[in-house]
Amino acid sequence: MRQRLNDFEAEQRVLKQRAADREAEVVTLQSKLQDHDGAVSAMLQQAQQAEAELREQLARETAERQALESRFSARETELQGSLQTRDTELQRLRVAAASARERIDAVLARLPGAPSGDQH
Protein backbone atom coordinates (compact mmCIF):
# COMPACT_ATOMS: atom_id res chain seq x y z
CA MET A 1 0.00 0.00 0.00
CA ARG A 2 2.86 2.26 0.83
CA GLN A 3 4.34 1.55 -2.60
CA ARG A 4 1.07 2.42 -4.25
CA LEU A 5 0.92 5.64 -2.30
CA ASN A 6 4.49 6.47 -3.34
CA ASP A 7 3.65 5.64 -6.97
CA PHE A 8 0.53 7.74 -6.78
CA GLU A 9 2.48 10.69 -5.29
CA ALA A 10 5.19 10.30 -7.93
CA GLU A 11 2.55 10.27 -10.67
CA GLN A 12 0.91 13.28 -9.09
CA ARG A 13 4.26 15.16 -9.07
CA VAL A 14 4.82 14.25 -12.74
CA LEU A 15 1.32 15.45 -13.60
CA LYS A 16 1.81 18.68 -11.64
CA GLN A 17 5.14 19.24 -13.42
CA ARG A 18 3.48 18.64 -16.79
CA ALA A 19 0.71 21.05 -15.86
CA ALA A 20 3.30 23.64 -14.79
CA ASP A 21 5.21 23.12 -18.05
CA ARG A 22 2.00 23.48 -20.07
CA GLU A 23 1.09 26.60 -18.11
CA ALA A 24 4.54 28.06 -18.85
CA GLU A 25 4.05 27.25 -22.55
CA VAL A 26 0.64 28.94 -22.47
CA VAL A 27 2.14 32.04 -20.84
CA THR A 28 4.95 32.09 -23.43
CA LEU A 29 2.47 31.67 -26.27
CA GLN A 30 0.25 34.42 -24.85
CA SER A 31 3.26 36.73 -24.66
CA LYS A 32 4.23 35.90 -28.25
CA LEU A 33 0.63 36.46 -29.32
CA GLN A 34 0.61 39.88 -27.68
CA ASP A 35 3.91 40.74 -29.38
CA HIS A 36 2.50 39.64 -32.74
CA ASP A 37 -0.72 41.55 -32.12
CA GLY A 38 1.34 44.64 -31.36
CA ALA A 39 3.40 44.16 -34.52
CA VAL A 40 0.26 43.59 -36.62
CA SER A 41 -1.35 46.68 -35.12
CA ALA A 42 1.75 48.75 -35.88
CA MET A 43 1.87 47.44 -39.46
CA LEU A 44 -1.84 48.12 -39.88
CA GLN A 45 -1.39 51.67 -38.61
CA GLN A 46 1.54 52.19 -41.01
CA ALA A 47 -0.49 50.78 -43.89
CA GLN A 48 -3.44 53.04 -43.05
CA GLN A 49 -1.14 56.06 -42.87
CA ALA A 50 0.48 55.14 -46.19
CA GLU A 51 -2.98 54.70 -47.72
CA ALA A 52 -4.06 58.12 -46.44
CA GLU A 53 -0.89 59.72 -47.82
CA LEU A 54 -1.38 58.01 -51.18
CA ARG A 55 -5.01 59.14 -51.31
CA GLU A 56 -3.93 62.72 -50.60
CA GLN A 57 -1.26 62.49 -53.29
CA LEU A 58 -3.79 61.05 -55.74
CA ALA A 59 -6.22 63.87 -54.95
CA ARG A 60 -3.48 66.49 -55.49
CA GLU A 61 -2.32 64.92 -58.75
CA THR A 62 -5.91 64.54 -59.97
CA ALA A 63 -6.56 68.22 -59.23
CA GLU A 64 -3.31 69.18 -61.00
CA ARG A 65 -4.24 67.03 -64.01
CA GLN A 66 -7.70 68.58 -64.17
CA ALA A 67 -6.20 72.08 -63.93
CA LEU A 68 -3.76 71.24 -66.74
CA GLU A 69 -6.55 69.81 -68.86
CA SER A 70 -8.61 72.94 -68.25
CA ARG A 71 -5.67 75.20 -69.19
CA PHE A 72 -4.96 73.05 -72.24
CA SER A 73 -8.59 73.24 -73.32
CA ALA A 74 -8.65 77.04 -72.87
CA ARG A 75 -5.36 77.38 -74.79
CA GLU A 76 -6.66 75.09 -77.54
CA THR A 77 -9.82 77.18 -77.85
CA GLU A 78 -7.71 80.35 -77.94
CA LEU A 79 -5.44 78.91 -80.65
CA GLN A 80 -8.38 77.70 -82.71
CA GLY A 81 -9.89 81.19 -82.53
CA SER A 82 -6.56 82.70 -83.54
CA LEU A 83 -6.21 80.23 -86.40
CA GLN A 84 -9.72 80.98 -87.57
CA THR A 85 -8.98 84.72 -87.43
CA ARG A 86 -5.78 84.17 -89.44
CA ASP A 87 -7.60 82.01 -91.97
CA THR A 88 -10.20 84.74 -92.38
CA GLU A 89 -7.45 87.37 -92.75
CA LEU A 90 -5.58 85.17 -95.24
CA GLN A 91 -8.74 84.72 -97.28
CA ARG A 92 -9.34 88.50 -97.22
CA LEU A 93 -5.74 89.08 -98.33
CA ARG A 94 -6.09 86.57 -101.17
CA VAL A 95 -9.24 88.33 -102.37
CA ALA A 96 -7.49 91.71 -102.07
CA ALA A 97 -4.43 90.38 -103.96
CA ALA A 98 -6.60 88.98 -106.75
CA SER A 99 -8.46 92.27 -106.99
CA ALA A 100 -5.20 94.24 -107.02
CA ARG A 101 -3.81 91.93 -109.70
CA GLU A 102 -6.88 92.57 -111.82
CA ARG A 103 -6.57 96.35 -111.36
CA ILE A 104 -2.84 96.24 -112.14
CA ASP A 105 -3.53 94.18 -115.26
CA ALA A 106 -6.24 96.68 -116.27
CA VAL A 107 -3.85 99.62 -115.79
CA LEU A 108 -1.07 97.83 -117.67
CA ALA A 109 -3.44 97.04 -120.50
CA ARG A 110 -4.20 100.75 -120.93
CA LEU A 111 -0.57 101.80 -121.08
CA PRO A 112 0.76 102.81 -124.48
CA GLY A 113 2.54 99.93 -126.18
CA ALA A 114 0.81 97.31 -124.06
CA PRO A 115 0.09 94.07 -125.84
CA SER A 116 -3.51 93.60 -126.71
CA GLY A 117 -5.34 90.71 -125.11
CA ASP A 118 -4.39 88.49 -122.24
CA GLN A 119 -0.94 86.97 -122.79
CA HIS A 120 -0.12 85.44 -119.41
Side-chain angles (χ1 to χ4, degrees):
M1 173 99 174
R2 185 82 170 138
Q3 182 58 35
R4 278 177 103 191
L5 185 60
N6 286 342
D7 289 348
F8 177 73
E9 288 175 348
E11 188 177 331
Q12 189 177 17
R13 282 192 301 274
V14 167
L15 289 175
K16 282 183 180 180
Q17 184 59 46
R18 282 186 191 163
D21 291 346
R22 294 292 179 253
E23 183 64 29
E25 285 180 31
V26 166
V27 168
T28 300
L29 289 174
Q30 285 175 335
S31 175
K32 286 181 181 179
L33 180 61
Q34 287 175 347
D35 290 346
H36 288 272
D37 281 350
V40 167
S41 293
M43 285 188 273
L44 178 61
Q45 184 178 4
Q46 289 174 348
Q48 288 171 335
Q49 183 175 350
E51 179 186 14
E53 290 170 359
L54 287 172
R55 287 185 184 278
E56 288 175 12
Q57 181 181 355
L58 176 62
R60 280 192 312 271
E61 290 179 3
T62 299
E64 288 175 17
R65 181 185 52 82
Q66 288 173 344
L68 285 173
E69 286 176 352
S70 178
R71 287 187 2 227
F72 173 77
S73 179
R75 182 67 175 145
E76 182 180 29
T77 300
E78 177 187 332
L79 290 174
Q80 285 176 346
S82 177
L83 182 59
Q84 189 173 14
T85 299
R86 288 181 182 173
D87 283 347
T88 302
E89 182 66 15
L90 180 60
Q91 189 63 29
R92 186 188 69 73
L93 290 172
R94 284 183 178 151
V95 168
S99 176
R101 202 172 306 120
E102 288 174 8
R103 287 192 311 246
I104 290 170
D105 287 346
V107 168
L108 289 176
R110 288 183 286 189
L111 288 176
S116 59
D118 211 4
Q119 294 182 355
H120 290 272

